[in-house]
Amino acid sequence: MAADNLPSEFDVIILGTGLTESVIAAACSRVGLRVLHLDRRNYYAGNWASFTFNGLLSWIEEYKAQQQTPSTTSEQGWNDQIEDEEEVVFLSSVDSSISNLEVFSYASDKSEDDELLNSPVVGSLPKAAEEMNGCHKEAQDLGSSSACTQGDGDPHNLEVKNQDSCLSEESKKTDQQPIRSPEQAVEVKKKITYAMLLKEGRRFNIDLMSKLLYSRGLLVDLLIKSNVSRYAEFKNISCILTCHNGKVEQVPCSRADVFGSKQLTVVEKRMLMKFLTFCLDFEQHQEEFKDFTEIPFLEFLKCKNLTENLQHFILHSIAMVSQDSPTINGLKATQHFLRCLGRYGNTPFLFPLYGLGEIPQCFCRMCAVFGGIYCLRHSVQCLVVDKESGKCKAVIDTHGQRISCSHFVVEDSYIRDDQRMQTTYKKISRAVVITDRSILPSQSDHQISLVTVPPLEPSSPAVRMVELSSFSMTCMPGTYLVHLTCSSSGSAHEDLAPVVSRLFHVPSSCTEESIQGSEENEKPVVLWAMYFNMRDTSGFENSSYNLPSNVHVCTGPDDSLGSDYSINLAELVFHQLLPDEEFCPPAPNPEDIIYDGDQGEGAIFEGDSQKEEAVIEGEDGSQAHKQHGATCSSEPAESTDSIGHEILTEYDIQSPPLGNSP
Amino acid sequence: MAGGSVSECKEYLFKVLVIGELGVGKTSIIKRYVHQLFSQHYRATIGVDFALKVLNWDSKTLVRLQLWDIAGQERFGNMTRVYYKEAVGAFVVFDVTRSSTFEAVSKWKHDLDSKVKLANGNPIPSVLLANKCDQKKDSSNNASLMDNFCKEAGFLGWFETSAKDNINVDEAARFLVEHILLNDKGVPYEESNGDRIKLDQDPMPAESKSGCC
Ligand SMILES: Cc1cc2nc3c(=O)[nH]c(=O)nc-3n(C[C@H](O)[C@H](O)[C@H](O)COP(=O)(O)OP(=O)(O)OC[C@H]3O[C@@H](n4cnc5c(N)ncnc54)[C@H](O)[C@@H]3O)c2cc1C
Ligand SMILES: Nc1nc2c(ncn2[C@@H]2O[C@H](COP(=O)(O)OP(=O)(O)OP(=O)(O)O)[C@@H](O)[C@H]2O)c(=O)[nH]1
Ligand SMILES: [Mg+2]
């Protein structure tokens, strides 16, 4: 484990372990390139990372520290390593992709042995309540010690004690319920305290970025094709909800949903089925939409005489496009949604167990298995550029070591502003909320829900929300983890707090806090919430940067629900590096590796479907571990017809998972 | 499935990690154990993820051991969570001919305990392997020192092994599996799996249903 010196030469150095960089790393290593993969953080996945509760608190602390003392860049150890015909290009040593971070804690810090301590604090109750009320303002400045700004990673943080005073007799009783009959026990929820969140912190896997996988999206296809899927498990999203007329309603998307729906009239059901059937192969019916292609989708829906109800479902929850996006985009999005139905369940979406942050790491493992070298907490100070060719020939790492490479791949947040052509960015607004119950009253089998929230005001953004139960392995039992995401129009708090207060009960003072777990209040109670903005550089291209031609910049997560953008980018960069190589061919199955004992010469792989042999371990310690003859994509080709058939006839029946084995 | 007839056979899948410094013999031990092979040539491990060993533990128990290798290239830093995820046991290997690899054992153990825990919050059972014992020069091995070290560092025990001469490899594995089974009483693999989706899973997992007794 000791970090001895790194080798001094690689084919490609990759800086940043987000999804795009990790896919590129796996793809390069898989076809035999020598890959060095670095990240300046002590965790994987950059802005795609997921954290335990305590890990997230540390992340928040780091952010605060960085805001307070913008780190002075100390570049050294490179001067003597640069020749006359070379120049250096510095990278940024700070990550400024996160902004407007605000944290609110509403869970009390009561614990059994604290009870005696309570009496002295009671006197300060009015003051504590005041601070709670004022917390929205105060939290803007994370440096101040507001009662509800819960940034401190220290479990013994005294600030929280202010809230001890909120402890009501009622909540004490709830906590000490004697054993009851099962039915009663279900009703009386155990109150979740802040101390419990900390104690059970390891059960949380809180993603910085929230996305779902379309079951026929590029990421799912890539996971299957490359065999990286062996490192992850998924859950199907159990239901899709939408905020409509001030209520939360289920979106009918499968045939069974449509016919079983109570909100829809018989006429609407027929209308909806007819329209969805048309969308499945809309290209075949040019006459129906050709005059509308560039006209807003909503206009098209109106022209089709769909009721307001149906327009809402289709626009916001199925196509998930904005009011003004053109009809052609709306139709494509609807079609994609429908084609994804039924592959793994009766919604089109999958969520990775333990959080989205698992996915980049799965690709990193694949890269490491094929020889990629990994160093976290390790970055690059500067690039060494050959003056004549204008190409990057080496880097100087943060330990002052010079490492040569033929290609350098880097995540956007490592780039300095003076290397950018443009320094204005789009942003993503994010909120992470921990609640005490599901937004659906009878949540029993709804373990993961997607909720689409159309703009509350004409000027505000459409928000998507994912509610995760503990079955997703991302939060402790008894809590729900809710992710809200939209493209920013203001700060994350400005964009998302209105939605949070619409859908949840946000305690406004500590006295109200006892409501948690009580039955009078139907809305889930917010125990803890965090808001922040993340830079969205997804529109940027290589021409957006003033960098050598063999430096490839990867942008961070975009604001869409799927990950197609990042996967497309990874494939594009890979083919810039290696135009003729295959992108992520299947890795051999561990069970198919046969060690060749006689020669003591490593392992032989028998391709399961191709029955072709491939040498896994290099014959002479060189990079001879390419898998020969392993042609890719054995995924069964399916015609649109058969998919359409599947949806329209077996809409609601869970088809067996499809995989590499046809 | 739960509480089926007594004669039914229980099947377990255990993920076991094999960690330790570069070149201590991790891959050799796995090859010896799973494939009964040994090679003198050192080659940095590439392209090998994990190996599967099926054990007919007793007349009622089938154990599939997934032995997860690491490659030397991960020595520089942190392993991905993917590697540690849902592991239930570990071997930490060092090379008796190189004391620096023994000194790194504590670091590996510490990293392991910080990355994965059993459901009850305890560390996963781990066993220390003093490999390449066929090459040991001084026979004055201090067993009681090693016992103490294991107690302090939280290892269940230690074995002197040789992947080359096939010494103690099976014994060490048996010892570890015994402890894993103690921890995992009554939770056969399939039941705990719920409605999780594996993207590449076989449409018909008929194989896992086949009896073993
Ligand atoms: C994907 C993943 C990432 C992890 N990342 C970290 C990490 O970054 N830092 C860290 O200290 N620990 C990490 N762990 C270990 C984790 O903190 C504990 O092992 C886990 O919480 C076990 O306790 P549980 O009560 O949740 O087990 P249960 O929910 O009862 O889970 C049952 C089984 O699943 C395994 N398991 C459950 N959750 C995890 C989990 N989160 N990680 C590994 N195995 C798990 C357990 O070992 C156990 O055998 C990670 C585990 C996984 C699966
Ligand atoms: N004499 C002897 N040599 C061994 C033994 N086990 C492994 N070796 C040798 O030690 C060298 C390294 O073994 P590997 O199994 O490749 O070690 P590793 O820990 O997998 O190495 P990395 O994957 O690079 O970290 C090889 O040359 C093996 O032949 C053993 O028990 N006795
Ligand atoms: Mg090895």
Side-chain angles (χ1 to χ4, degrees), chain A residues 202-203 354 358 473, chain B residues 81 85-86 114-115 117 119:
Chain A
R202 69 188 171 92
R203 293 182 183 273
Y354 302 104
E358 283 299 287
M473 311 300 278
Chain B
R81 292 196 312 200
K85 173 164 67 184
E86 304 190 343
S114 72
K115 294 268 170 57
K117 291 190 171 66

Side-chain angles (χ1 to χ4, degrees), chain B residues 20-31 38-46 69-73 75 93 95 98 131-135 161-166:
Chain B
E21 294 286 282
L22 184 68
V24 294
K26 301 177 292 293
T27 307
S28 300
I29 288 171
I30 294 174
K31 274 194 204 174
F38 179 77
S39 148
Q40 289 284 357
H41 304 280
Y42 170 68
R43 185 175 301 117
T45 302
I46 282 171
D69 201 355
I70 66 162
Q73 49 275 17
R75 74 188 178 277
V93 188
D95 176 347
R98 286 185 295 148
N131 191 41
K132 308 197 189 178
C133 68
D134 56 285
Q135 287 196 337
T161 57
S162 166
K164 181 162 176 271
D165 297 345
N166 197 12

Side-chain angles (χ1 to χ4, degrees), chain A residues 1 231 234-235 354 358 369, chain B residues 21 47 49 81 86 195 197:
Chain A
M1 294 185 78
Y231 302 129
F234 297 85
K235 277 203 173 289
Y354 302 104
E358 283 299 287
V369 164
Chain B
E21 294 286 282
D49 220 345
R81 292 196 312 200
E86 304 190 343
D195 54 352
I197 296 167

